[in-house]
Amino acid sequence: RRVLFRSPILQSVRPNRNVSTILKWEGIIIDPIGALVAVLVYELFFVASMGVGHHDVGLTQMALKTFFLTVCVGSFFGLFSGWALNTLLRKNLIPHFLINVLSLAFVIFAFAGADSLQPESGLLSVTVMGIFLANVKTPNIDKILDFKESLTVILISVLFIILASNLKFEQLLSLEKNSLYVFLIVVFLLRPLVVWLSALGSDLNWREKAFIAWIGPKGIVAAAVASLFSLYLLSDKIHLPEELRSDVELLVPLTFMIILGTVTLNGLSAKPVAKLLGVIGEDKNGFLIVGANEGSISIAKYLENKGFSTTLIDLSSENVRHAKAEGLNAEERNILAEENEDLNLEDAGYVLALTSSNDVNIFACRKLKIDIGERIFRLITGNEIKFSALTRPKNILFGEKTDYIEFIELIRRYPDIKEIEIDDQEHLEKMITKSSEDFIPLLVQRGTSIMMITVRFDYQFMKGDTLAYIGKLN
């Protein structure tokens, strides 16, 4: 599935798939689990020991009851809200311009409804709701996710400011050197120990475990829960001994100190540590080809023979069947549709838009640029050829006159893609600039990397470079 959770550190470092998958999902599920565990610890060690609660119920029974109620209430509201929103979207009962607003309303309902019945179950409910919506292929999920990304940045920033506004600088200064020991124990002992125990029996190597241990999720939820418990324990409802009150007053500044310390330390050192441990993922070199026509199939077969993975996407079932008959990976789907959240882009590092529709090629490149990056290419349009005053983007493939018709006509005459070793810089420049109806330069291969030929191809010769082309050389 597509990555629906974007971490700034993961985006910057881009570790290998094992590491990024674990850190991604840990960041998603650690907040509800952490909040639930915090509630259980509170019930066990504070409520019971302070004489608040049910005296006739044992600690174990009380903990199990709290856990059971939290899971049940959170799961119910999460599943119900997810089902209701998914049903409304599938039946097109929500106007398009209200999808984001109503989705947020359902999230608030799930959180507030669950939390009102069972404290601290709201976070679990919205997590369950998100997992449900992602797995039932909810319509317009991409639109909701784009809205969520922007909303997340705003709300987390505001929440950090609100929580930090309750914290006085004197409180941070009041932390003794024992607080530093707590920080060092959390970073260098507890986190590595947890990772080592959790990874028992896994296929992670020691380098991957070390990096995961170094990059621990930092949570706004931890700060929020610490602030909530601190306020509650210092309220008039609970009569704490004076020595305990002074310790409780240190709970919030200690939590913020650990968050700030780990964010600063790990944020600044993540990339150097990843390079040192060798866990940075390899550059993606797979090809996502939009269009499964004759030309796309020929290019895909050539790339597959060179060791590059390819996926062809086309709305025509006949084209997809033809591509599969050639032993290629092809999917029947509309690349511009909203329901493409299950599109596998894990290995895609290049996009080639080679359909007969100029609009599909242009909009597919715009849409996939978010996930793929800059290596997206398309055929030139008829208007771009006809009107020389139009600015031609640098990602136009093959040349200034090679549109879809010329591309397909030539591939029909010369279906097998050929290659030639490049002698020097001048040799390639002559070939790609010469005017010929029987020759289209496709790409330059250099070892395990590919450089697509474009209208503004910037090339520096290296011995061993190979040019792949359609047609014949005079």
mmCIF file with all atom_site columns, all heavy atoms in Angstrom, residues 427-449:
data_model
loop_
_atom_site.group_PDB
_atom_site.id
_atom_site.type_symbol
_atom_site.label_atom_id
_atom_site.label_alt_id
_atom_site.label_comp_id
_atom_site.label_asym_id
_atom_site.label_entity_id
_atom_site.label_seq_id
_atom_site.pdbx_PDB_ins_code
_atom_site.Cartn_x
_atom_site.Cartn_y
_atom_site.Cartn_z
_atom_site.occupancy
_atom_site.B_iso_or_equiv
_atom_site.pdbx_formal_charge
_atom_site.auth_seq_id
_atom_site.auth_comp_id
_atom_site.auth_asym_id
_atom_site.auth_atom_id
_atom_site.pdbx_PDB_model_num
ATOM 1   N N   . HIS A 1 427 ? 29.772 12.266 -29.995 1.00 0.00 ? 427 HIS A N   1
ATOM 2   C CA  . HIS A 1 427 ? 29.077 11.154 -30.651 1.00 0.00 ? 427 HIS A CA  1
ATOM 3   C C   . HIS A 1 427 ? 27.602 11.134 -30.272 1.00 0.00 ? 427 HIS A C   1
ATOM 4   O O   . HIS A 1 427 ? 26.703 11.045 -31.126 1.00 0.00 ? 427 HIS A O   1
ATOM 5   C CB  . HIS A 1 427 ? 29.755 9.835  -30.263 1.00 0.00 ? 427 HIS A CB  1
ATOM 6   C CG  . HIS A 1 427 ? 29.124 8.629  -30.875 1.00 0.00 ? 427 HIS A CG  1
ATOM 7   N ND1 . HIS A 1 427 ? 29.146 7.399  -30.276 1.00 0.00 ? 427 HIS A ND1 1
ATOM 8   C CD2 . HIS A 1 427 ? 28.447 8.457  -32.048 1.00 0.00 ? 427 HIS A CD2 1
ATOM 9   C CE1 . HIS A 1 427 ? 28.520 6.532  -31.027 1.00 0.00 ? 427 HIS A CE1 1
ATOM 10  N NE2 . HIS A 1 427 ? 28.087 7.144  -32.117 1.00 0.00 ? 427 HIS A NE2 1
ATOM 11  N N   . LEU A 1 428 ? 27.305 11.234 -28.960 1.00 0.00 ? 428 LEU A N   1
ATOM 12  C CA  . LEU A 1 428 ? 25.909 11.207 -28.515 1.00 0.00 ? 428 LEU A CA  1
ATOM 13  C C   . LEU A 1 428 ? 25.165 12.446 -29.004 1.00 0.00 ? 428 LEU A C   1
ATOM 14  O O   . LEU A 1 428 ? 24.020 12.343 -29.461 1.00 0.00 ? 428 LEU A O   1
ATOM 15  C CB  . LEU A 1 428 ? 25.831 11.111 -26.990 1.00 0.00 ? 428 LEU A CB  1
ATOM 16  C CG  . LEU A 1 428 ? 24.401 11.129 -26.424 1.00 0.00 ? 428 LEU A CG  1
ATOM 17  C CD1 . LEU A 1 428 ? 23.654 9.880  -26.851 1.00 0.00 ? 428 LEU A CD1 1
ATOM 18  C CD2 . LEU A 1 428 ? 24.408 11.253 -24.914 1.00 0.00 ? 428 LEU A CD2 1
ATOM 19  N N   . GLU A 1 429 ? 25.770 13.605 -28.895 1.00 0.00 ? 429 GLU A N   1
ATOM 20  C CA  . GLU A 1 429 ? 25.098 14.830 -29.294 1.00 0.00 ? 429 GLU A CA  1
ATOM 21  C C   . GLU A 1 429 ? 24.700 14.803 -30.762 1.00 0.00 ? 429 GLU A C   1
ATOM 22  O O   . GLU A 1 429 ? 23.634 15.294 -31.132 1.00 0.00 ? 429 GLU A O   1
ATOM 23  C CB  . GLU A 1 429 ? 26.000 16.028 -29.007 1.00 0.00 ? 429 GLU A CB  1
ATOM 24  C CG  . GLU A 1 429 ? 26.172 16.307 -27.517 1.00 0.00 ? 429 GLU A CG  1
ATOM 25  C CD  . GLU A 1 429 ? 27.135 17.436 -27.245 1.00 0.00 ? 429 GLU A CD  1
ATOM 26  O OE1 . GLU A 1 429 ? 27.722 17.965 -28.220 1.00 0.00 ? 429 GLU A OE1 1
ATOM 27  O OE2 . GLU A 1 429 ? 27.309 17.811 -26.061 1.00 0.00 ? 429 GLU A OE2 1
ATOM 28  N N   . LYS A 1 430 ? 25.527 14.226 -31.590 1.00 0.00 ? 430 LYS A N   1
ATOM 29  C CA  . LYS A 1 430 ? 25.193 14.121 -33.015 1.00 0.00 ? 430 LYS A CA  1
ATOM 30  C C   . LYS A 1 430 ? 23.989 13.201 -33.222 1.00 0.00 ? 430 LYS A C   1
ATOM 31  O O   . LYS A 1 430 ? 23.117 13.482 -34.046 1.00 0.00 ? 430 LYS A O   1
ATOM 32  C CB  . LYS A 1 430 ? 26.390 13.589 -33.795 1.00 0.00 ? 430 LYS A CB  1
ATOM 33  C CG  . LYS A 1 430 ? 27.487 14.629 -34.021 1.00 0.00 ? 430 LYS A CG  1
ATOM 34  C CD  . LYS A 1 430 ? 28.613 14.035 -34.871 1.00 0.00 ? 430 LYS A CD  1
ATOM 35  C CE  . LYS A 1 430 ? 29.677 15.086 -35.154 1.00 0.00 ? 430 LYS A CE  1
ATOM 36  N NZ  . LYS A 1 430 ? 30.797 14.529 -35.971 1.00 0.00 ? 430 LYS A NZ  1
ATOM 37  N N   . MET A 1 431 ? 23.957 12.098 -32.474 1.00 0.00 ? 431 MET A N   1
ATOM 38  C CA  . MET A 1 431 ? 22.873 11.140 -32.654 1.00 0.00 ? 431 MET A CA  1
ATOM 39  C C   . MET A 1 431 ? 21.531 11.698 -32.181 1.00 0.00 ? 431 MET A C   1
ATOM 40  O O   . MET A 1 431 ? 20.507 11.525 -32.843 1.00 0.00 ? 431 MET A O   1
ATOM 41  C CB  . MET A 1 431 ? 23.191 9.838  -31.912 1.00 0.00 ? 431 MET A CB  1
ATOM 42  C CG  . MET A 1 431 ? 24.226 8.974  -32.622 1.00 0.00 ? 431 MET A CG  1
ATOM 43  S SD  . MET A 1 431 ? 24.338 7.311  -31.930 1.00 0.00 ? 431 MET A SD  1
ATOM 44  C CE  . MET A 1 431 ? 25.035 7.682  -30.323 1.00 0.00 ? 431 MET A CE  1
ATOM 45  N N   . ILE A 1 432 ? 21.508 12.362 -31.056 1.00 0.00 ? 432 ILE A N   1
ATOM 46  C CA  . ILE A 1 432 ? 20.220 12.807 -30.508 1.00 0.00 ? 432 ILE A CA  1
ATOM 47  C C   . ILE A 1 432 ? 19.726 14.100 -31.149 1.00 0.00 ? 432 ILE A C   1
ATOM 48  O O   . ILE A 1 432 ? 18.550 14.449 -30.989 1.00 0.00 ? 432 ILE A O   1
ATOM 49  C CB  . ILE A 1 432 ? 20.286 12.967 -28.974 1.00 0.00 ? 432 ILE A CB  1
ATOM 50  C CG1 . ILE A 1 432 ? 21.242 14.081 -28.570 1.00 0.00 ? 432 ILE A CG1 1
ATOM 51  C CG2 . ILE A 1 432 ? 20.642 11.664 -28.302 1.00 0.00 ? 432 ILE A CG2 1
ATOM 52  C CD1 . ILE A 1 432 ? 21.272 14.342 -27.078 1.00 0.00 ? 432 ILE A CD1 1
ATOM 53  N N   . THR A 1 433 ? 20.584 14.792 -31.871 1.00 0.00 ? 433 THR A N   1
ATOM 54  C CA  . THR A 1 433 ? 20.152 16.035 -32.530 1.00 0.00 ? 433 THR A CA  1
ATOM 55  C C   . THR A 1 433 ? 19.907 15.866 -34.019 1.00 0.00 ? 433 THR A C   1
ATOM 56  O O   . THR A 1 433 ? 19.376 16.774 -34.653 1.00 0.00 ? 433 THR A O   1
ATOM 57  C CB  . THR A 1 433 ? 21.207 17.151 -32.329 1.00 0.00 ? 433 THR A CB  1
ATOM 58  O OG1 . THR A 1 433 ? 22.472 16.702 -32.828 1.00 0.00 ? 433 THR A OG1 1
ATOM 59  C CG2 . THR A 1 433 ? 21.320 17.529 -30.863 1.00 0.00 ? 433 THR A CG2 1
ATOM 60  N N   . LYS A 1 434 ? 20.269 14.711 -34.557 1.00 0.00 ? 434 LYS A N   1
ATOM 61  C CA  . LYS A 1 434 ? 20.092 14.540 -36.006 1.00 0.00 ? 434 LYS A CA  1
ATOM 62  C C   . LYS A 1 434 ? 18.617 14.370 -36.337 1.00 0.00 ? 434 LYS A C   1
ATOM 63  O O   . LYS A 1 434 ? 17.827 13.861 -35.552 1.00 0.00 ? 434 LYS A O   1
ATOM 64  C CB  . LYS A 1 434 ? 20.895 13.349 -36.508 1.00 0.00 ? 434 LYS A CB  1
ATOM 65  C CG  . LYS A 1 434 ? 20.308 11.998 -36.133 1.00 0.00 ? 434 LYS A CG  1
ATOM 66  C CD  . LYS A 1 434 ? 21.084 10.879 -36.815 1.00 0.00 ? 434 LYS A CD  1
ATOM 67  C CE  . LYS A 1 434 ? 20.443 9.529  -36.552 1.00 0.00 ? 434 LYS A CE  1
ATOM 68  N NZ  . LYS A 1 434 ? 21.112 8.462  -37.309 1.00 0.00 ? 434 LYS A NZ  1
ATOM 69  N N   . SER A 1 435 ? 18.225 14.815 -37.497 1.00 0.00 ? 435 SER A N   1
ATOM 70  C CA  . SER A 1 435 ? 16.840 14.733 -37.944 1.00 0.00 ? 435 SER A CA  1
ATOM 71  C C   . SER A 1 435 ? 16.658 13.471 -38.779 1.00 0.00 ? 435 SER A C   1
ATOM 72  O O   . SER A 1 435 ? 17.281 13.312 -39.829 1.00 0.00 ? 435 SER A O   1
ATOM 73  C CB  . SER A 1 435 ? 16.478 15.977 -38.758 1.00 0.00 ? 435 SER A CB  1
ATOM 74  O OG  . SER A 1 435 ? 15.166 15.875 -39.251 1.00 0.00 ? 435 SER A OG  1
ATOM 75  N N   . SER A 1 436 ? 15.815 12.558 -38.290 1.00 0.00 ? 436 SER A N   1
ATOM 76  C CA  . SER A 1 436 ? 15.572 11.311 -39.021 1.00 0.00 ? 436 SER A CA  1
ATOM 77  C C   . SER A 1 436 ? 14.205 10.779 -38.638 1.00 0.00 ? 436 SER A C   1
ATOM 78  O O   . SER A 1 436 ? 13.813 10.806 -37.468 1.00 0.00 ? 436 SER A O   1
ATOM 79  C CB  . SER A 1 436 ? 16.650 10.279 -38.679 1.00 0.00 ? 436 SER A CB  1
ATOM 80  O OG  . SER A 1 436 ? 16.320 9.028  -39.258 1.00 0.00 ? 436 SER A OG  1
ATOM 81  N N   . GLU A 1 437 ? 13.464 10.319 -39.642 1.00 0.00 ? 437 GLU A N   1
ATOM 82  C CA  . GLU A 1 437 ? 12.155 9.733  -39.387 1.00 0.00 ? 437 GLU A CA  1
ATOM 83  C C   . GLU A 1 437 ? 12.256 8.292  -38.931 1.00 0.00 ? 437 GLU A C   1
ATOM 84  O O   . GLU A 1 437 ? 11.247 7.695  -38.560 1.00 0.00 ? 437 GLU A O   1
ATOM 85  C CB  . GLU A 1 437 ? 11.302 9.812  -40.659 1.00 0.00 ? 437 GLU A CB  1
ATOM 86  C CG  . GLU A 1 437 ? 10.978 11.236 -41.094 1.00 0.00 ? 437 GLU A CG  1
ATOM 87  C CD  . GLU A 1 437 ? 10.118 11.273 -42.326 1.00 0.00 ? 437 GLU A CD  1
ATOM 88  O OE1 . GLU A 1 437 ? 9.849  10.188 -42.894 1.00 0.00 ? 437 GLU A OE1 1
ATOM 89  O OE2 . GLU A 1 437 ? 9.693  12.376 -42.729 1.00 0.00 ? 437 GLU A OE2 1
ATOM 90  N N   . ASP A 1 438 ? 13.455 7.720  -38.986 1.00 0.00 ? 438 ASP A N   1
ATOM 91  C CA  . ASP A 1 438 ? 13.639 6.311  -38.621 1.00 0.00 ? 438 ASP A CA  1
ATOM 92  C C   . ASP A 1 438 ? 14.490 6.135  -37.360 1.00 0.00 ? 438 ASP A C   1
ATOM 93  O O   . ASP A 1 438 ? 15.069 5.076  -37.148 1.00 0.00 ? 438 ASP A O   1
ATOM 94  C CB  . ASP A 1 438 ? 14.321 5.559  -39.778 1.00 0.00 ? 438 ASP A CB  1
ATOM 95  C CG  . ASP A 1 438 ? 13.429 5.474  -41.000 1.00 0.00 ? 438 ASP A CG  1
ATOM 96  O OD1 . ASP A 1 438 ? 12.199 5.377  -40.805 1.00 0.00 ? 438 ASP A OD1 1
ATOM 97  O OD2 . ASP A 1 438 ? 13.958 5.517  -42.116 1.00 0.00 ? 438 ASP A OD2 1
ATOM 98  N N   . PHE A 1 439 ? 14.520 7.158  -36.519 1.00 0.00 ? 439 PHE A N   1
ATOM 99  C CA  . PHE A 1 439 ? 15.375 7.050  -35.336 1.00 0.00 ? 439 PHE A CA  1
ATOM 100 C C   . PHE A 1 439 ? 14.810 7.888  -34.189 1.00 0.00 ? 439 PHE A C   1
ATOM 101 O O   . PHE A 1 439 ? 14.519 9.074  -34.352 1.00 0.00 ? 439 PHE A O   1
ATOM 102 C CB  . PHE A 1 439 ? 16.791 7.527  -35.690 1.00 0.00 ? 439 PHE A CB  1
ATOM 103 C CG  . PHE A 1 439 ? 17.723 7.566  -34.500 1.00 0.00 ? 439 PHE A CG  1
ATOM 104 C CD1 . PHE A 1 439 ? 18.329 6.402  -34.033 1.00 0.00 ? 439 PHE A CD1 1
ATOM 105 C CD2 . PHE A 1 439 ? 18.002 8.766  -33.847 1.00 0.00 ? 439 PHE A CD2 1
ATOM 106 C CE1 . PHE A 1 439 ? 19.196 6.438  -32.951 1.00 0.00 ? 439 PHE A CE1 1
ATOM 107 C CE2 . PHE A 1 439 ? 18.858 8.818  -32.774 1.00 0.00 ? 439 PHE A CE2 1
ATOM 108 C CZ  . PHE A 1 439 ? 19.458 7.645  -32.315 1.00 0.00 ? 439 PHE A CZ  1
ATOM 109 N N   . ILE A 1 440 ? 14.622 7.252  -33.032 1.00 0.00 ? 440 ILE A N   1
ATOM 110 C CA  . ILE A 1 440 ? 14.221 7.950  -31.807 1.00 0.00 ? 440 ILE A CA  1
ATOM 111 C C   . ILE A 1 440 ? 15.147 7.501  -30.682 1.00 0.00 ? 440 ILE A C   1
ATOM 112 O O   . ILE A 1 440 ? 15.189 6.311  -30.338 1.00 0.00 ? 440 ILE A O   1
ATOM 113 C CB  . ILE A 1 440 ? 12.762 7.645  -31.411 1.00 0.00 ? 440 ILE A CB  1
ATOM 114 C CG1 . ILE A 1 440 ? 11.788 8.174  -32.456 1.00 0.00 ? 440 ILE A CG1 1
ATOM 115 C CG2 . ILE A 1 440 ? 12.439 8.263  -30.045 1.00 0.00 ? 440 ILE A CG2 1
ATOM 116 C CD1 . ILE A 1 440 ? 10.338 7.835  -32.155 1.00 0.00 ? 440 ILE A CD1 1
ATOM 117 N N   . PRO A 1 441 ? 15.929 8.412  -30.100 1.00 0.00 ? 441 PRO A N   1
ATOM 118 C CA  . PRO A 1 441 ? 16.761 8.043  -28.954 1.00 0.00 ? 441 PRO A CA  1
ATOM 119 C C   . PRO A 1 441 ? 15.908 7.924  -27.686 1.00 0.00 ? 441 PRO A C   1
ATOM 120 O O   . PRO A 1 441 ? 15.090 8.801  -27.398 1.00 0.00 ? 441 PRO A O   1
ATOM 121 C CB  . PRO A 1 441 ? 17.753 9.203  -28.855 1.00 0.00 ? 441 PRO A CB  1
ATOM 122 C CG  . PRO A 1 441 ? 17.016 10.368 -29.416 1.00 0.00 ? 441 PRO A CG  1
ATOM 123 C CD  . PRO A 1 441 ? 16.087 9.828  -30.478 1.00 0.00 ? 441 PRO A CD  1
ATOM 124 N N   . LEU A 1 442 ? 16.073 6.837  -26.947 1.00 0.00 ? 442 LEU A N   1
ATOM 125 C CA  . LEU A 1 442 ? 15.229 6.596  -25.772 1.00 0.00 ? 442 LEU A CA  1
ATOM 126 C C   . LEU A 1 442 ? 15.907 6.985  -24.468 1.00 0.00 ? 442 LEU A C   1
ATOM 127 O O   . LEU A 1 442 ? 15.411 7.807  -23.699 1.00 0.00 ? 442 LEU A O   1
ATOM 128 C CB  . LEU A 1 442 ? 14.824 5.119  -25.698 1.00 0.00 ? 442 LEU A CB  1
ATOM 129 C CG  . LEU A 1 442 ? 13.907 4.594  -26.797 1.00 0.00 ? 442 LEU A CG  1
ATOM 130 C CD1 . LEU A 1 442 ? 13.605 3.123  -26.545 1.00 0.00 ? 442 LEU A CD1 1
ATOM 131 C CD2 . LEU A 1 442 ? 12.625 5.401  -26.848 1.00 0.00 ? 442 LEU A CD2 1
ATOM 132 N N   . LEU A 1 443 ? 17.060 6.368  -24.198 1.00 0.00 ? 443 LEU A N   1
ATOM 133 C CA  . LEU A 1 443 ? 17.671 6.539  -22.884 1.00 0.00 ? 443 LEU A CA  1
ATOM 134 C C   . LEU A 1 443 ? 19.145 6.200  -22.948 1.00 0.00 ? 443 LEU A C   1
ATOM 135 O O   . LEU A 1 443 ? 19.621 5.542  -23.876 1.00 0.00 ? 443 LEU A O   1
ATOM 136 C CB  . LEU A 1 443 ? 16.957 5.656  -21.844 1.00 0.00 ? 443 LEU A CB  1
ATOM 137 C CG  . LEU A 1 443 ? 16.892 4.138  -22.130 1.00 0.00 ? 443 LEU A CG  1
ATOM 138 C CD1 . LEU A 1 443 ? 18.106 3.414  -21.575 1.00 0.00 ? 443 LEU A CD1 1
ATOM 139 C CD2 . LEU A 1 443 ? 15.625 3.541  -21.549 1.00 0.00 ? 443 LEU A CD2 1
ATOM 140 N N   . VAL A 1 444 ? 19.853 6.660  -21.931 1.00 0.00 ? 444 VAL A N   1
ATOM 141 C CA  . VAL A 1 444 ? 21.257 6.309  -21.753 1.00 0.00 ? 444 VAL A CA  1
ATOM 142 C C   . VAL A 1 444 ? 21.368 5.495  -20.476 1.00 0.00 ? 444 VAL A C   1
ATOM 143 O O   . VAL A 1 444 ? 20.867 5.905  -19.423 1.00 0.00 ? 444 VAL A O   1
ATOM 144 C CB  . VAL A 1 444 ? 22.152 7.562  -21.662 1.00 0.00 ? 444 VAL A CB  1
ATOM 145 C CG1 . VAL A 1 444 ? 23.572 7.174  -21.270 1.00 0.00 ? 444 VAL A CG1 1
ATOM 146 C CG2 . VAL A 1 444 ? 22.154 8.317  -22.985 1.00 0.00 ? 444 VAL A CG2 1
ATOM 147 N N   . GLN A 1 445 ? 21.989 4.325  -20.580 1.00 0.00 ? 445 GLN A N   1
ATOM 148 C CA  . GLN A 1 445 ? 22.204 3.489  -19.397 1.00 0.00 ? 445 GLN A CA  1
ATOM 149 C C   . GLN A 1 445 ? 23.657 3.617  -18.953 1.00 0.00 ? 445 GLN A C   1
ATOM 150 O O   . GLN A 1 445 ? 24.583 3.477  -19.749 1.00 0.00 ? 445 GLN A O   1
ATOM 151 C CB  . GLN A 1 445 ? 21.880 2.028  -19.669 1.00 0.00 ? 445 GLN A CB  1
ATOM 152 C CG  . GLN A 1 445 ? 22.041 1.158  -18.425 1.00 0.00 ? 445 GLN A CG  1
ATOM 153 C CD  . GLN A 1 445 ? 21.637 -0.286 -18.646 1.00 0.00 ? 445 GLN A CD  1
ATOM 154 O OE1 . GLN A 1 445 ? 21.212 -0.667 -19.736 1.00 0.00 ? 445 GLN A OE1 1
ATOM 155 N NE2 . GLN A 1 445 ? 21.768 -1.100 -17.607 1.00 0.00 ? 445 GLN A NE2 1
ATOM 156 N N   . ARG A 1 446 ? 23.818 3.867  -17.663 1.00 0.00 ? 446 ARG A N   1
ATOM 157 C CA  . ARG A 1 446 ? 25.145 3.970  -17.066 1.00 0.00 ? 446 ARG A CA  1
ATOM 158 C C   . ARG A 1 446 ? 25.161 3.066  -15.826 1.00 0.00 ? 446 ARG A C   1
ATOM 159 O O   . ARG A 1 446 ? 24.664 3.441  -14.777 1.00 0.00 ? 446 ARG A O   1
ATOM 160 C CB  . ARG A 1 446 ? 25.472 5.409  -16.684 1.00 0.00 ? 446 ARG A CB  1
ATOM 161 C CG  . ARG A 1 446 ? 26.812 5.586  -15.977 1.00 0.00 ? 446 ARG A CG  1
ATOM 162 C CD  . ARG A 1 446 ? 27.065 7.060  -15.678 1.00 0.00 ? 446 ARG A CD  1
ATOM 163 N NE  . ARG A 1 446 ? 27.210 7.828  -16.904 1.00 0.00 ? 446 ARG A NE  1
ATOM 164 C CZ  . ARG A 1 446 ? 27.239 9.165  -16.940 1.00 0.00 ? 446 ARG A CZ  1
ATOM 165 N NH1 . ARG A 1 446 ? 27.080 9.870  -15.829 1.00 0.00 ? 446 ARG A NH1 1
ATOM 166 N NH2 . ARG A 1 446 ? 27.396 9.796  -18.096 1.00 0.00 ? 446 ARG A NH2 1
ATOM 167 N N   . GLY A 1 447 ? 25.679 1.871  -16.012 1.00 0.00 ? 447 GLY A N   1
ATOM 168 C CA  . GLY A 1 447 ? 25.682 0.922  -14.903 1.00 0.00 ? 447 GLY A CA  1
ATOM 169 C C   . GLY A 1 447 ? 24.269 0.536  -14.525 1.00 0.00 ? 447 GLY A C   1
ATOM 170 O O   . GLY A 1 447 ? 23.509 0.014  -15.341 1.00 0.00 ? 447 GLY A O   1
ATOM 171 N N   . THR A 1 448 ? 23.893 0.827  -13.274 1.00 0.00 ? 448 THR A N   1
ATOM 172 C CA  . THR A 1 448 ? 22.549 0.489  -12.795 1.00 0.00 ? 448 THR A CA  1
ATOM 173 C C   . THR A 1 448 ? 21.618 1.693  -12.807 1.00 0.00 ? 448 THR A C   1
ATOM 174 O O   . THR A 1 448 ? 20.542 1.635  -12.212 1.00 0.00 ? 448 THR A O   1
ATOM 175 C CB  . THR A 1 448 ? 22.633 -0.067 -11.364 1.00 0.00 ? 448 THR A CB  1
ATOM 176 O OG1 . THR A 1 448 ? 23.252 0.908  -10.513 1.00 0.00 ? 448 THR A OG1 1
ATOM 177 C CG2 . THR A 1 448 ? 23.426 -1.362 -11.319 1.00 0.00 ? 448 THR A CG2 1
ATOM 178 N N   . SER A 1 449 ? 22.015 2.763  -13.483 1.00 0.00 ? 449 SER A N   1
ATOM 179 C CA  . SER A 1 449 ? 21.167 3.954  -13.530 1.00 0.00 ? 449 SER A CA  1
ATOM 180 C C   . SER A 1 449 ? 20.744 4.249  -14.961 1.00 0.00 ? 449 SER A C   1
ATOM 181 O O   . SER A 1 449 ? 21.410 3.847  -15.919 1.00 0.00 ? 449 SER A O   1
ATOM 182 C CB  . SER A 1 449 ? 21.902 5.170  -12.942 1.00 0.00 ? 449 SER A CB  1
ATOM 183 O OG  . SER A 1 449 ? 23.033 5.494  -13.729 1.00 0.00 ? 449 SER A OG  1
#
